[in-house]
Amino acid sequence: MKMKRALLPFLVIVIALVLTFVLVKSRKAPKPHEAPHLGPLVEVGILTKANRQILISGTGSAQSRYEVSITPQIKGRVSELSPQMVAGGTFQKGELLFAIEDVDYQLAIAHAQANLAQAELELLRNENLADLARKEWHSLNGEKALEPNPLVVYEPQLKSARALRDAAQANVKQAELNLQRTRVFAPFACYVRSEQLEIGQFLNAGAPVATVAGIDQIEIVVPLSLDEIVWLQVPRKGTKQRGSLAKVELQSGGRTFHWQGEITRSLGEIDPRNRMARVVVTVNDPFTEDTEKANLLNDLLPGMFVNVQILGEELSDIISVPRGAMHDNDTIWVIDDENRLHIREVDILRRERDEVLIRSGLDANEKIVLTNLSGAAEGMLLRPKMRETN
């Protein structure tokens, strides 16, 4: 009995080994299974057609539309000076800048008026003498007599008297004009750029004393390539054509300031250094009237370097693709319904910073590949993953 118990474990081990050997021998080898090749994973987008406003970007420095030197036309001492007649002071059109002492010019008017009265008296006397002389001639020689000698009827004296009267009238007008010129007014709404004026200062005629610049209009000269100009409306001289609208921007301190403008003209030539055309964007009323906005940058000041966004032509039913989707020789990768790659040549209408506008070669609802691949080939199988694109 003890012997049987001792042999029992060995018997179990032998049986297990036999069963294992039988199972191993009877097992069928697994058949190899090949996973289907789906191609590399790529992002694709669906193309759509939409209307597109061409946006042209440029930069330039703001400058006043008008800038003139203030020069007195007469001489004299400064008798009155506006408190705003300092650098940075502003004036509306017609406001007094300064005045010149006018006593001498008032006396000149009185003297000219006296001379005029004397000349008119002399003319009247000669007219009476001429009338009497003509009557005496006709009484002695009859009404049908020949015309008398001009000296007999005072014609030279009359001409001289009339000339003296006309000269005296001109002297009065000149004296009155000089009196008006003692008060100098702002020629347009402006600010003072520089001045050299003090009360009591003696001014000479023709010597500049100040420089003022207009505040009604600010201009920005924007250099653009000829490829950009073709999309814009630039008014030509002698026409009433409206120019393309523009948005002027200044970024400072994390804030963006905006002004509206439009193209008013071009400078009429191509810069030979860079082959760029220069258009003028004009901003009307560049100074804010909102007194609650105390920030100086709310005004478009001369000298500011600004960005300009010009609205160009509006295009209909345009397809745009990301610049990263363009490949060599102006081709785009398109994927068909069977996930096969096709290399498509397209006709480019315009290249922008982030996108390319396509004239022809693509249709709406087609799928384009947005992922760069090395070794891409016509008919290559791809595994697409959708991504929204315009």
Side-chain angles (χ1 to χ4, degrees):
M1 191 66 174
K2 290 181 180 180
M3 188 100 173
K4 289 182 180 179
R5 288 179 179 178
L7 291 175
L8 184 60
F10 294 101
L11 182 60
V12 172
I13 293 172
V14 171
I15 294 173
L17 291 174
V18 171
L19 290 175
T20 301
F21 178 78
V22 172
L23 290 175
V24 169
K25 285 295 185 181
S26 63
R27 186 186 65 176
K28 294 181 179 180
K31 294 182 179 180
H33 176 71
E34 293 186 1
H37 177 65
L38 301 179
L41 179 66
V42 294
E43 285 190 317
V44 300
I46 302 295
L47 295 176
T48 59
K49 286 187 176 182
N51 296 340
R52 183 63 176 265
Q53 180 90 55
I54 298 297
L55 191 64
I56 308 296
S57 299
T59 57
S61 294
Q63 59 189 31
S64 295
R65 172 69 175 86
Y66 303 103
E67 181 174 323
V68 298
S69 294
I70 301 299
T71 303
Q73 295 177 277
I74 58 172
K75 63 181 180 179
R77 297 189 181 278
V78 178
S79 60
E80 186 178 351
L81 189 62
S82 170
Q84 287 293 101
M85 196 59 188
V86 292
T90 59
F91 292 90
Q92 293 301 314
K93 181 179 180 179
E95 288 186 339
L96 179 69
L97 302 179
F98 62 92
I100 296 174
E101 193 174 46
D102 62 0
V103 175
D104 292 340
Y105 299 99
Q106 290 180 351
L107 293 175
I109 290 178
H111 183 70
Q113 289 174 339
N115 289 337
L116 175 60
Q118 185 65 35
E120 288 176 340
L121 176 61
E122 184 65 19
L123 175 61
L124 182 60
R125 186 178 71 82
N126 281 282
E127 286 177 342
N128 288 334
L129 289 174
D131 186 55
L132 289 173
R134 186 172 290 279
K135 286 180 179 179
E136 287 181 5
W137 172 266
H138 287 298
S139 66
L140 293 175
N141 297 282
E143 293 293 335
K144 296 183 179 180
L146 296 175
E147 279 295 315
N149 188 301
L151 291 173
V152 174
V153 290
Y154 289 84
E155 285 189 8
Q157 294 86 336
L158 279 174
K159 287 183 180 180
S160 176
R162 289 192 182 102
L164 291 175
R165 189 273 314 270
D166 292 344
Q169 287 178 338
N171 287 337
V172 170
K173 290 181 179 179
Q174 182 64 59
E176 291 174 343
L177 184 58
N178 287 340
L179 180 62
Q180 293 176 6
R181 288 170 174 170
T182 60
R183 300 179 68 79
V184 181
F185 301 94
F188 41 77
C190 61
Y191 75 98
V192 180
R193 291 200 63 187
S194 62
E195 53 82 25
Q196 305 89 37
L197 281 170
E198 295 294 342
I199 291 290
Q201 178 181 348
F202 187 85
L203 305 181
N204 288 312
V209 296
T211 300
V212 298
I215 58 176
D216 283 343
Q217 290 183 329
I218 290 291
E219 294 184 342
I220 303 102
V221 178
V222 184
L224 297 173
S225 68
L226 298 182
D227 290 339
E228 304 282 22
I229 291 290
V230 71
W231 301 107
L232 303 178
Q233 294 292 332
V234 181
R236 301 186 65 184
K237 184 178 180 180
T239 66
K240 296 182 179 180
Q241 179 186 17
R242 292 292 301 272
S244 299
L245 298 179
K247 181 170 68 173
V248 179
E249 295 182 346
L250 173 69
Q251 295 183 349
S252 180
R255 297 176 58 187
T256 303
F257 301 88
H258 301 276
W259 300 270
Q260 293 298 319
E262 66 177 89
I263 294 178
T264 53
R265 68 184 189 280
S266 73
L267 296 190
E269 62 181 8
I270 304 299
D271 191 330
R273 296 170 299 178
N274 52 24
R275 315 308 300 172
M276 303 279 274
R278 290 175 291 175
V279 299
V280 177
V281 173
T282 300
V283 177
N284 294 315
D285 300 321
F287 291 81
T288 180
E289 296 181 357
D290 190 348
T291 56
E292 295 182 0
K293 293 183 177 180
N295 195 317
L296 183 65
L297 297 184
N298 287 309
D299 298 332
L300 180 56
L301 302 175
M304 283 181 171
F305 190 77
V306 293
N307 298 316
V308 181
Q309 303 288 334
I310 307 174
L311 299 180
E313 184 179 343
E314 185 172 358
L315 305 175
S316 300
D317 296 332
I318 292 297
I319 290 178
S320 63
V321 300
R323 288 195 71 124
M326 296 296 303
H327 303 284
D328 295 338
N329 301 320
D330 294 337
T331 58
I332 288 180
W333 296 345
V334 179
I335 187 170
D336 61 17
D337 293 337
E338 297 179 356
N339 296 335
R340 296 287 179 177
L341 174 68
H342 299 284
I343 300 175
R344 184 84 57 81
E345 291 187 4
V346 294
D347 185 10
I348 296 176
L349 182 65
R350 171 178 166 79
R351 297 178 189 270
E352 297 190 338
R353 185 179 65 179
D354 299 319
E355 294 179 317
V356 177
L357 306 186
I358 304 301
R359 188 196 308 271
S360 61
L362 293 175
D363 293 318
N365 298 320
E366 283 194 295
K367 292 181 289 185
I368 64 168
V369 179
L370 303 176
T371 303
N372 283 323
L373 295 172
S374 59
E378 180 73 21
M380 180 179 182
L381 183 64
L382 301 176
R383 184 155 45 102
K385 175 184 177 184
M386 296 302 301
R387 187 177 82 178
E388 290 292 332
T389 184
N390 291 327

